[in-house]
Amino acid sequence: MINDKVLAIILGGGQGSRLYPLTETRSKPAVPIAGKYRLVDIPISNCINSNIKRMFVLTQFNSASLNRHIKNTYHFSFFSTAFVDVLAAEQTPGNKGWFQGTADAVRQSMHHFVRHDFDYVLILSGDQLYQMDYELMINEHIKNKAKISIATIPVNAKDATSFGILKANDKNVITSFIEKPDAGLLPEWTSEVSDEMKGEGRNYLASMGIYIFNRDLLIKLMDDPSTIDFGKEIIPQSIDKHKTLSYQYEGYWTDIGNIDSFFEANIGLTANIPNFDLYDKSKRIYTRARMLPTTKVSGTTLNKTVVAEGCIISAAKIEKSVIGIRSRIGDESTVINTYMMGSDHYQTLEDITNPKINAIGIGARCFIKNAILDKNCCIGDDVRINGGLHLEATETDSYAIKDGIVVIKKGAVIPNGFVI
């Protein structure tokens, strides 16, 4: 199988400051998504579904929880060559610094990769939400004798100014590249796309940050320590020198770059037919197998709500929300347009009823709207959180407000009667 000749490298990203405070105590790939998964589960699952089963995850910030998740989740047969390994930035005699960019992360870790037998390297981002068969892209790369392939997605004029935009000829060979072009330049950067994409006004090819490199070329490109980023340096400098192919993808794809996009991606899962389909057997998303009890719901009106396993819910109403594992929501509470990540453990009944111990979850008679509740939050009784653009950006020890979304920090305690 050709996929035995492919090595996947998943880039964990930098400090994840745009996703703060969700990245205050964890790396970006370890951020919980969809109530029971982690962001890193998306590219790993795509690889497994594409029969690519040798993966490295590169990270350098707050990597303990990511290490724990991968160690507890991805177990392959003893007789298989499959693995998922986390490589954190490490000081060596030849290097004393952190990863400076995406290409620098690969360069510093190259001595780990070259020990393996592979012909092609698939480079992925650890903070995107999509379902893609990489095997199709690899086959196109090989068939066209490309040296580099870039996954591209058609975007409209409004979004094009936020991406690296590529121009390809009728054979899908990339001829030029521009990083985040001004709106005035866009008429010169249209590409041939399908009729469906034209009908949606998506005439520009944006780089998805997904690359295939031939092994020898990647090793050669890594010899130059002055190039530290794939999107800003390696790709633009390589287009004229090495045959670079555009592989157009037209499915759902979103970059989880900030709190707003993260929030919308999660709330989007509550739609009747969500763009990101967790129910497709052929595109299954894998995560840690937890032995949790079923969810128990008492007297609650649920509407367009995704509820993970192990929850105890007595709320009055939950609407257009994602409720994560082991969540507890008290009597007469209302939760709207909210992502509640849940809890890492259960408290005993004695702890929950003990007035001296903060109960994890949402208390009684609360109103929560337009919010993200990180893991292990303790929301008291009669709390009112009403997020929206009327709120100014702010941060305290227990919560932050970004783009009108109230983010309750991991493990935060919100006292009875508190109002935001």
Side-chain angles (χ1 to χ4, degrees):
M1 287 178 61
I2 192 62
N3 292 2
D4 292 338
K5 295 295 184 181
V6 179
L7 199 66
I9 299 172
I10 300 168
L11 302 172
Q15 198 164 351
S17 55
R18 291 191 298 157
L19 267 181
Y20 180 88
L22 303 180
T23 51
E24 186 173 20
T25 60
R26 57 171 80 91
S27 64
K28 195 154 49 167
V31 172
I33 193 166
K36 60 180 287 185
Y37 306 94
R38 306 270 185 160
L39 271 173
V40 77
D41 291 328
I42 306 304
I44 291 177
S45 298
N46 284 338
C47 282
I48 293 172
N49 293 333
S50 304
N51 295 311
I52 297 167
K53 295 179 181 175
R54 295 183 299 161
M55 293 162 261
F56 286 99
V57 181
L58 308 190
T59 187
Q60 62 184 348
F61 289 99
N62 292 332
S63 55
S65 63
L66 180 67
N67 270 310
R68 188 166 57 248
H69 174 71
I70 288 177
K71 177 178 70 72
N72 291 334
T73 304
Y74 296 102
H75 301 151
F76 298 96
S77 165
F78 180 77
F79 301 100
S80 167
T81 59
F83 63 84
V84 182
D85 283 351
V86 177
L87 295 179
E90 57 184 354
Q91 290 191 350
T92 65
N95 178 72
K96 303 293 183 185
W98 292 101
F99 297 154
Q100 301 302 308
T102 54
D104 188 58
V106 172
R107 179 182 296 109
Q108 289 193 37
S109 307
M110 187 61 75
H111 60 288
H112 294 289
F113 309 145
V114 294
R115 297 172 186 168
H116 296 267
D117 178 29
F118 63 94
D119 292 336
Y120 308 99
V121 178
L122 174 65
I123 296 178
L124 306 169
S125 172
D127 56 357
Q128 298 173 347
L129 189 63
Y130 64 107
Q131 290 163 306
M132 181 177 177
D133 187 347
Y134 303 132
E135 194 167 18
L136 299 176
M137 182 178 173
I138 292 162
N139 290 338
E140 284 295 307
H141 177 90
I142 295 168
K143 184 177 80 174
N144 289 280
K145 296 182 170 59
K147 297 293 183 68
I148 305 171
S149 285
I150 303 174
T152 57
I153 189 163
V155 296
N156 59 31
K158 179 186 175 185
D159 293 336
T161 54
S162 302
F163 289 98
I165 299 298
L166 309 159
K167 203 166 184 180
N169 63 21
D170 57 355
K171 295 182 179 177
N172 291 321
V173 174
I174 295 169
T175 56
S176 49
F177 173 93
I178 186 170
E179 180 75 16
K180 297 181 180 178
D182 290 333
L185 297 174
L186 288 179
E188 304 169 19
W189 285 88
T190 59
S191 289
E192 190 59 38
V193 296
S194 69
D195 290 340
E196 182 182 351
M197 295 294 101
K198 287 178 184 174
E200 296 178 15
R202 294 165 61 177
N203 297 305
Y204 309 94
L205 288 181
S207 169
M208 295 167 64
I210 296 171
Y211 314 114
I212 297 171
F213 284 86
N214 290 357
R215 174 190 172 121
D216 293 344
L217 176 59
L218 182 64
I219 292 172
K220 180 182 175 184
L221 292 171
M222 293 298 101
D223 284 341
D224 180 3
S226 67
T227 53
I228 61 171
D229 194 85
F230 282 108
K232 294 187 177 84
E233 295 162 329
I234 297 283
I235 296 301
Q237 293 170 17
S238 298
I239 286 170
D240 293 333
K241 301 173 186 174
H242 311 286
K243 186 176 182 180
T244 306
L245 200 70
S246 163
Y247 178 79
Q248 278 194 47
Y249 174 75
E250 295 185 357
Y252 173 77
W253 174 87
T254 187
D255 183 30
I256 309 291
N258 53 39
I259 290 294
D260 187 41
S261 60
F262 176 81
F263 183 71
E264 289 302 321
N266 279 284
I267 298 302
L269 298 172
T270 66
N272 288 340
I273 303 177
N275 290 321
F276 187 78
D277 187 3
L278 289 167
Y279 305 93
D280 188 331
K281 285 197 297 185
S282 66
K283 299 175 182 176
R284 189 171 290 147
I285 304 299
Y286 300 94
T287 194
R288 181 179 173 187
R290 302 173 179 90
M291 305 307 164
L292 290 174
T294 52
T295 284
K296 180 165 61 176
V297 182
S298 304
T300 306
T301 299
L302 297 171
N303 183 30
K304 291 190 175 180
T305 291
V306 176
V307 183
E309 59 264 45
C311 300
I312 301 173
I313 298 172
S314 304
K317 176 183 177 182
I318 304 176
E319 183 175 285
K320 204 177 177 186
S321 296
V322 176
I323 308 301
I325 55 172
R326 305 186 191 89
S327 289
R328 183 192 63 84
I329 305 177
D331 295 343
E332 300 179 49
S333 287
T334 297
V335 179
I336 301 171
N337 216 49
T338 289
Y339 175 25
M340 182 179 185
M341 291 186 182
S343 174
D344 288 320
H345 60 275
Y346 286 117
Q347 292 174 299
T348 64
L349 190 59
E350 289 77 15
D351 285 345
I352 293 173
T353 54
N354 186 338
K356 295 181 180 179
I357 297 176
N358 295 307
I360 296 175
I362 297 174
R365 301 174 302 281
C366 293
F367 179 86
I368 314 288
K369 185 177 181 181
N370 297 329
I372 298 173
L373 312 185
D374 205 331
K375 287 278 192 78
N376 308 330
C377 290
C378 303
I379 311 292
D381 296 335
D382 303 296
V383 169
R384 184 174 181 85
I385 298 173
N386 186 19
L389 294 176
H390 62 283
L391 297 176
E392 292 185 9
T394 188
E395 183 182 359
T396 71
D397 289 342
S398 57
Y399 69 90
I401 301 173
K402 284 184 155 185
D403 301 315
I405 301 159
V406 179
V407 184
I408 307 298
K409 295 183 178 182
K410 184 176 182 180
V413 176
I414 306 297
N416 293 343
F418 192 79
V419 176
I420 300 177

